Amino acid sequence: MNRPKIRMGKIDFTLFASIMLLLSLGIVLVGSASYNSALWLQKDGFFFLKRQILWSVLGIMFMMISLNVDYHKLKKYSSLIMLITLILLLAVFAFPAQNGARRWIRIGGGISFQPSEIAKYTVVLYMAKAVEKKVKE
């Protein structure tokens, strides 16, 4: 039986161990710091801990997926990614303000995100391409 090979990029073990240590510490701290609040607000003392674990698992999955992405290939799409990011940054004005600020885009089902988080990575990608282009000239 031929199984597809999962090819992982090279992993810096020290960096990976540091990330896992900080992630574990963060989960423990969220659990201990939020128990009483969660019990009072949500009637489930582990509500925030469960959410933190869920997002941590999703983050680890995306980290493993990103190990297989050749970021050099993203260069040619950096202008398109920048355009999409700018559109998302402007789209926040179409959504209602929360606590007096317009920062979030609600997708539905309680899922929302901040385009500014995407913009951080997009600017790095776009600037890297711009610097490389400048050096080649």
Side-chain angles (χ1 to χ4, degrees), residues 13 16 28-29 72 82 84 89 105 115 121 124 136:
F13 180 75
F16 181 75
V28 169
L29 292 175
H72 294 98
M82 179 61 89
I84 291 168
L89 286 169
I105 292 180
Y121 300 104
V124 170
K136 285 183 180 179

Side-chain angles (χ1 to χ4, degrees), residues 81-134:
I81 295 169
M82 179 61 89
L83 179 65
I84 291 168
T85 302
L86 288 172
I87 291 169
L88 288 172
L89 286 169
L90 292 172
V92 296
F93 294 110
F95 292 87
Q98 294 178 349
N99 298 326
R102 295 179 185 269
R103 297 181 185 136
W104 296 86
I105 292 180
R106 292 219 175 271
I107 297 173
I111 298 174
S112 60
F113 71 97
Q114 284 183 301
S116 61
E117 294 298 321
I118 296 169
K120 292 175 189 177
Y121 300 104
T122 302
V123 167
V124 170
L125 178 68
Y126 190 79
M127 293 303 294
K129 180 182 176 187
V131 167
E132 181 188 45
K133 184 178 175 183
K134 190 75 170 168

